[in-house]
Amino acid sequence: MNIYGFQKSTLLDYPEHLAATIFTGSCNFCCPFCHNGGLVLHCNTLSKIPETAVIDYLKKRKNILEGVCITGGEPTLQKDLADFIYQIKELGYRVKLDTNGYNPNILQSLLEQNLLDYVAMDIKNSPQNYAKTAGLSTITFENIDSSVNILKSTAIDYEFRTTIIRELHTLDDILEIGNWLKGNSFYYLQSYKDSPDLIQQGYHAHDTKTLLQFYSSIKQFLPNTFLRGIDME
């Protein structure tokens, strides 16, 4: 496993569980607003954390921590991901995977092996604007749609989430996302926030009024829609 970050304790990354978070390197997307630019663009220049060090720490904390979140970068690019998760599950932890959904076969395999307890899949934008938002010239959208359908048919907990950006997302985009994902899935609208490690600068959050309009509009398709990182004052 190419591990380049390890947060030893968090209440934010795994809903309702005290967890550790593991950051893997590299990604098959290059979203310009990504706040983990170092992991995407030049992870090989970062210090690698030994897998054994992570496992040893989890062994010591297994009576305190409840779960482990694996994020990135894009974790499904790691060839030994399943073996690594197996070690974590053997310690009794719940495992949450953060993914962009571009490797549906890997996602399906992990689910079939009962290695995941929660999946958070990023929904970048409406289908016609997906490639641009992912920082690509072209995209095989069928891969994304396959992962959506895999999660909608799974028995484990999962969520879809979209980081909303003034320069990239319109009300029409939000309505098309809602029509595409419609059903009882949990969906989160996340307000964009600046970061020093962005891939590209120059993006902004929508104002609260617009975000609330997006929220009320998409609930007709996805009643289990919630807001994250939005100041209601």
Side-chain angles (χ1 to χ4, degrees):
M1 285 283 290
N2 294 315
I3 301 172
Y4 294 99
F6 183 40
Q7 186 173 358
K8 294 181 177 181
S9 180
T10 176
L11 287 168
L12 299 177
D13 292 340
Y14 196 143
E16 300 181 1
H17 293 285
L18 180 63
T21 301
I22 294 163
F23 296 86
T24 62
S26 73
C27 190
N28 42 11
F29 286 3
C30 193
C31 306
F33 55 91
C34 177
H35 62 269
N36 284 332
L39 292 173
V40 175
L41 298 177
H42 46 78
C43 65
N44 291 336
T45 68
L46 304 175
S47 298
K48 192 173 179 180
I49 300 172
E51 181 179 318
T52 53
V54 173
I55 295 298
D56 287 345
Y57 177 83
L58 293 176
K59 286 179 180 177
K60 295 175 184 177
R61 302 287 287 180
K62 65 181 182 179
N63 293 323
I64 299 173
L65 296 173
E66 301 168 293
V68 176
C69 176
I70 304 177
T71 188
E74 174 50 44
T76 62
L77 296 177
Q78 304 296 319
K79 294 182 179 179
D80 50 354
L81 178 61
D83 291 338
F84 181 64
I85 295 177
Y86 181 80
Q87 294 181 69
I88 296 172
K89 295 290 287 182
E90 283 286 281
L91 296 175
Y93 285 102
R94 301 175 64 86
V95 173
K96 172 178 176 277
L97 176 72
D98 290 351
T99 182
N100 61 25
Y102 208 47
N103 290 315
N105 292 337
I106 300 297
L107 177 61
Q108 182 71 58
S109 176
L110 294 173
L111 289 168
E112 289 176 352
Q113 295 177 73
N114 297 314
L115 292 176
L116 302 177
D117 300 283
Y118 195 108
V119 176
M121 178 177 164
D122 291 321
I123 301 296
K124 302 300 180 181
N125 210 332
S126 58
Q128 70 269 25
N129 288 319
Y130 222 92
K132 178 181 71 174
T133 310
L136 305 176
S137 57
T138 61
I139 198 168
T140 304
F141 184 74
E142 290 78 8
N143 289 0
I144 303 296
D145 197 41
S146 291
S147 288
V148 166
N149 290 326
I150 287 168
L151 290 179
K152 290 176 77 171
S153 65
T154 189
I156 71 164
D157 293 330
Y158 69 92
E159 67 179 60
F160 300 122
R161 60 193 187 186
T162 302
T163 299
I164 304 299
I165 299 157
R166 189 198 308 169
E167 290 80 6
L168 296 173
H169 299 93
T170 66
L171 178 58
D172 286 343
D173 289 316
I174 298 304
L175 292 173
E176 290 187 32
I177 291 171
N179 189 52
W180 165 34
L181 300 180
K182 61 186 175 185
N184 293 318
S185 304
F186 282 87
Y187 180 67
Y188 290 86
L189 289 172
Q190 304 178 159
S191 182
Y192 167 80
K193 294 188 181 300
D194 254 331
S195 165
D197 199 24
L198 290 173
I199 288 180
Q200 182 177 323
Q201 299 292 330
Y203 291 99
H204 305 85
H206 278 287
D207 58 55
T208 300
K209 180 179 178 181
T210 302
L211 289 168
L212 291 175
Q213 180 188 23
F214 289 177
Y215 168 73
S216 60
S217 298
I218 202 169
K219 282 181 72 71
Q220 65 181 301
F221 302 103
L222 292 159
N224 294 318
T225 294
F226 302 91
L227 301 173
R228 278 190 182 136
I230 298 175
D231 186 358
M232 302 299 290
E233 296 181 2

